[in-house]
Amino acid sequence: MSDVRHVLVLPDREAAEEVAQALGERFGVGEEPRIVRDALAGEDDAEDAQWLVLVGDEDERLDAAALDEFAGEWDGWREEP
Protein backbone atom coordinates (compact mmCIF):
# COMPACT_ATOMS: atom_id res chain seq x y z
CA MET A 1 0.00 0.00 0.00
CA SER A 2 1.11 3.55 -0.68
CA ASP A 3 0.30 6.83 1.01
CA VAL A 4 -1.58 8.42 -1.88
CA ARG A 5 -3.64 11.51 -1.14
CA HIS A 6 -5.71 13.66 -3.44
CA VAL A 7 -6.08 17.37 -2.76
CA LEU A 8 -9.30 19.02 -3.88
CA VAL A 9 -9.25 22.84 -3.86
CA LEU A 10 -12.56 24.57 -3.15
CA PRO A 11 -13.50 28.25 -3.11
CA ASP A 12 -15.13 28.35 0.34
CA ARG A 13 -15.74 26.40 3.51
CA GLU A 14 -19.34 25.52 2.66
CA ALA A 15 -18.28 23.95 -0.64
CA ALA A 16 -15.45 22.05 1.09
CA GLU A 17 -17.85 20.64 3.69
CA GLU A 18 -20.35 19.59 1.01
CA VAL A 19 -17.59 17.94 -1.04
CA ALA A 20 -16.21 16.09 1.99
CA GLN A 21 -19.66 14.70 2.75
CA ALA A 22 -20.49 13.85 -0.87
CA LEU A 23 -17.18 12.03 -1.44
CA GLY A 24 -18.38 9.10 0.66
CA GLU A 25 -21.65 8.89 -1.21
CA ARG A 26 -20.19 9.24 -4.71
CA PHE A 27 -16.86 7.43 -4.38
CA GLY A 28 -17.34 5.22 -1.32
CA VAL A 29 -14.45 6.86 0.52
CA GLY A 30 -14.06 5.04 3.84
CA GLU A 31 -11.81 7.45 5.71
CA GLU A 32 -13.33 10.84 6.45
CA PRO A 33 -11.64 13.50 4.30
CA ARG A 34 -9.82 16.31 6.11
CA ILE A 35 -10.72 19.95 5.47
CA VAL A 36 -7.91 22.50 5.66
CA ARG A 37 -8.02 26.28 5.19
CA ASP A 38 -5.27 27.51 2.88
CA ALA A 39 -4.75 31.28 2.97
CA LEU A 40 -2.24 33.16 0.91
CA ALA A 41 0.70 34.49 2.88
CA GLY A 42 -0.40 37.52 4.87
CA GLU A 43 -4.08 37.02 4.08
CA ASP A 44 -6.33 36.60 7.11
CA ASP A 45 -9.62 37.35 5.38
CA ALA A 46 -11.71 34.23 4.79
CA GLU A 47 -12.72 35.75 1.45
CA ASP A 48 -9.13 35.30 0.24
CA ALA A 49 -8.75 31.72 1.44
CA GLN A 50 -9.10 28.48 -0.43
CA TRP A 51 -10.27 25.35 1.27
CA LEU A 52 -8.56 22.02 0.72
CA VAL A 53 -10.20 18.63 1.06
CA LEU A 54 -7.59 15.91 1.60
CA VAL A 55 -8.70 12.46 0.47
CA GLY A 56 -6.72 9.35 1.33
CA ASP A 57 -6.45 6.77 -1.46
CA GLU A 58 -4.10 4.09 -0.13
CA ASP A 59 -5.45 1.47 -2.57
CA GLU A 60 -5.11 3.92 -5.49
CA ARG A 61 -8.63 3.20 -6.68
CA LEU A 62 -9.92 6.76 -7.09
CA ASP A 63 -9.79 8.19 -10.61
CA ALA A 64 -8.02 11.56 -10.71
CA ALA A 65 -10.08 12.84 -13.66
CA ALA A 66 -13.35 11.85 -11.95
CA LEU A 67 -12.27 13.66 -8.76
CA ASP A 68 -11.38 16.77 -10.78
CA GLU A 69 -14.78 16.74 -12.49
CA PHE A 70 -16.47 16.14 -9.13
CA ALA A 71 -14.71 19.13 -7.50
CA GLY A 72 -15.67 21.22 -10.55
CA GLU A 73 -19.31 20.82 -9.58
CA TRP A 74 -18.45 23.20 -6.68
CA ASP A 75 -16.16 25.46 -8.76
CA GLY A 76 -13.10 23.62 -7.48
CA TRP A 77 -10.44 21.36 -8.92
CA ARG A 78 -8.06 18.52 -8.05
CA GLU A 79 -4.54 19.74 -7.43
CA GLU A 80 -1.90 17.82 -9.37
CA PRO A 81 0.87 16.38 -7.15
Side-chain angles (χ1 to χ4, degrees), residues 5 17 20-21 23-24 29-35 53-56:
R5 291 189 189 271
E17 290 173 345
Q21 181 178 359
L23 275 164
V29 175
E31 181 182 327
E32 184 175 337
R34 281 189 24 193
I35 299 173
V53 177
L54 308 177
V55 185

Side-chain angles (χ1 to χ4, degrees), residues 37-67:
R37 181 178 179 266
D38 183 35
L40 299 173
E43 298 292 337
D44 290 329
D45 188 358
E47 297 277 330
D48 296 323
Q50 294 177 325
W51 292 83
L52 309 179
V53 177
L54 308 177
V55 185
D57 187 17
E58 292 79 20
D59 297 330
E60 299 184 43
R61 64 176 190 78
L62 299 175
D63 179 60
L67 285 172

